[in-house]
């Protein structure tokens, strides 16, 4: 039996294709068998939309760090339809000072949209970290596998790199380099921040024919930098996390969720 803590105020829908329940758990607090059961369940979701990692590689990539926090999403029939895992690792920045890296993976079954709720969970984990590490700077560094994910991040981020209208600063490049080393990321093109993807999208045709993405400038930038994402390349993305980011992201998430319910 997995340890599940329900979050009642995040019950948003009662339709079969809507998220109806959200639960959180600490991966390391589970028994060995419960960890195995959870990996089996979330890997089934991962492989529905991604073609890259086998189960052992998936577990190593997403659950092999200390204090992994997981948020699970369910539909009305109590079926698991999505998850986000969050963990923190530490590197040194360009001034050789301690810097925290926020790591997360987000996956949903096809037909479900839970990105805004996943962002909200991520913000809660940031706030939890800062409450115990006030003076330690923290950044979100992730591998973005497709234009839809990049668009979601860019639309909800206060400061993001790489981006179309700004040069990536040197301190961000240093954080990229040291995160790559800490996470053993396989780089393909360091100049464009492209690496071996951990989640090659299964439904590329759906992404390439999306009218919403076709007219989105963030998606256009991603496609320009990484036109071969369907062949296993992902783009490293940096998002600065601070209390401005938290306030900006929280307000935007709440606004989007309210608009979605109308």
């Amino acid at each position: 039996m997995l340890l599940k803590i329900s979050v009642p105020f995040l019950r948003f829908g009662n339709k079969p294709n809507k998220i109806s329940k959200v639960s959180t758990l600490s991966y390391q607090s589970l028994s060995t068998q419960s960890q195995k059961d959870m990996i089996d369940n979330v890997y089934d979701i991962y492989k529905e939309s991604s073609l890259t990692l086998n189960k052992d590689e998936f577990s190593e990539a997403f659950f092999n760090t200390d204090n992994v926090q997981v948020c699970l999403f369910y539909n009305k029939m109590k079926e698991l339809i999505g998850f986000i895992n969050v963990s923190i690792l530490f590197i040194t920045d360009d001034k050789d000072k301690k810097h925290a890296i926020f790591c997360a993976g987000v996956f949903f079954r096809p037909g479900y949209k839970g990105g805004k709720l996943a962002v909200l969970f991520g913000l809660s984990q940031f706030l939890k970290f800062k409450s115990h590490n006030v003076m330690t700077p923290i950044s979100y560094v992730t591998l973005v596998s497709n234009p839809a994910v990049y668009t979601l991040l860019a639309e909800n981020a206060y400061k993001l790199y790489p981006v179309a209208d700004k040069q990536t600063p040197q301190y961000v490049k240093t954080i990229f380099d040291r995160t790559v080393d800490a996470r053993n990321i396989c780089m393909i093109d360091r100049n464009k921040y492209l690496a071996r993807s951990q989640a090659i999208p299964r439904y590329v045709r759906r992404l390439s024919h999306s009218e919403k993405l076709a007219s989105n400038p963030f998606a256009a930038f991603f496609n320009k930098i990484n036109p071969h994402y369907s062949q296993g390349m992902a783009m490293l993305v940096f998002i600065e996390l601070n209390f401005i980011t938290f306030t900006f992201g929280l307000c935007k998430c709440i606004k989007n969720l309210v608009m979605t319910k109308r």
Side-chain angles (χ1 to χ4, degrees):
M1 182 76 178
L2 295 181
L3 172 64
K4 295 181 181 179
I5 307 171
S6 295
V7 187
F9 61 87
L10 290 182
R11 297 172 187 265
F12 285 94
N14 57 9
K15 296 180 180 180
N17 64 339
K18 298 294 184 181
I19 295 171
S20 180
K21 179 182 176 182
V22 178
S23 297
T24 64
L25 62 88
S26 173
Y27 177 73
Q28 273 76 20
S29 72
L30 303 177
S31 67
T32 301
Q33 184 59 49
S34 292
Q35 288 182 352
K36 181 179 181 301
D37 291 342
M38 196 208 72
I39 292 295
D40 288 344
N41 291 333
V42 298
Y43 182 70
D44 282 344
I45 294 172
Y46 165 85
K47 69 182 183 181
E48 280 196 30
S49 59
S50 304
L51 300 170
T52 315
L53 307 177
N54 62 37
K55 190 181 296 183
D56 290 339
E57 292 170 332
F58 169 79
S59 179
E60 178 72 18
F62 292 100
F63 293 92
N64 193 33
T65 53
D66 294 334
N67 196 27
V68 179
Q69 302 298 308
V70 185
C71 187
L72 305 173
F73 302 90
Y74 298 85
N75 63 13
K76 186 182 179 181
M77 284 82 73
K78 299 182 180 180
E79 297 168 330
L80 182 64
I81 50 85
F83 73 95
I84 172 175
N85 65 289
V86 171
S87 60
I88 307 290
L89 65 85
F90 293 95
I91 61 168
T92 54
D93 62 16
D94 57 332
K95 297 179 181 178
D96 289 327
K97 294 184 177 180
K98 185 179 180 180
H99 192 100
I101 298 298
F102 183 98
C103 306
V106 183
F107 299 92
F108 282 86
R109 294 192 189 278
Y112 290 91
K113 296 181 180 180
K116 297 178 182 69
L117 290 179
V119 170
L120 198 60
F121 176 74
L123 290 172
S124 74
Q125 294 303 300
F126 159 76
L127 191 61
K128 178 181 176 182
F129 171 83
K130 290 303 289 184
S131 69
H132 295 91
N133 302 271
V134 177
M135 301 305 295
T136 304
I138 180 170
S139 305
Y140 178 33
V141 177
T142 186
L143 283 169
V144 176
S145 62
N146 66 70
V149 175
Y150 180 81
T151 298
L152 173 67
L153 292 174
E155 288 179 343
N156 287 280
Y158 176 73
K159 184 181 291 185
L160 173 143
Y161 295 103
V163 70
D165 57 349
K166 296 179 183 178
Q167 289 290 324
T168 301
Q170 183 57 50
Y171 80 91
V172 174
K173 295 178 181 179
T174 300
I175 288 174
F176 275 152
D177 289 341
R178 295 183 181 177
T179 301
V180 164
D181 292 339
R183 293 179 56 188
N184 297 316
I185 294 172
C186 179
M187 295 302 294
I188 296 173
D189 186 338
R190 282 186 178 266
N191 292 326
K192 293 183 177 180
Y193 317 109
L194 300 181
R196 177 177 177 263
S197 179
Q198 294 177 337
I200 302 173
R202 184 181 292 272
Y203 301 104
V204 175
R205 183 178 177 84
R206 187 180 301 168
L207 291 168
S208 63
H209 286 74
S210 168
E211 293 183 6
K212 183 177 179 180
L213 290 177
S215 60
N216 188 287
F218 294 120
F221 172 73
F222 180 91
N223 287 326
K224 178 181 177 181
I225 298 297
N226 188 17
H228 305 299
Y229 66 88
S230 64
Q231 299 173 24
M233 286 192 285
M235 186 167 72
L236 269 174
V237 170
F238 165 97
I239 296 176
E240 184 173 309
L241 299 180
N242 52 39
F243 285 108
I244 296 176
T245 305
F246 173 80
T247 303
F248 180 85
L250 181 61
C251 291
K252 198 155 192 177
C253 277
I254 292 174
K255 178 183 176 181
N256 288 338
L257 287 168
V258 170
M259 294 299 292
T260 300
K261 281 177 67 72
R262 290 181 179 178

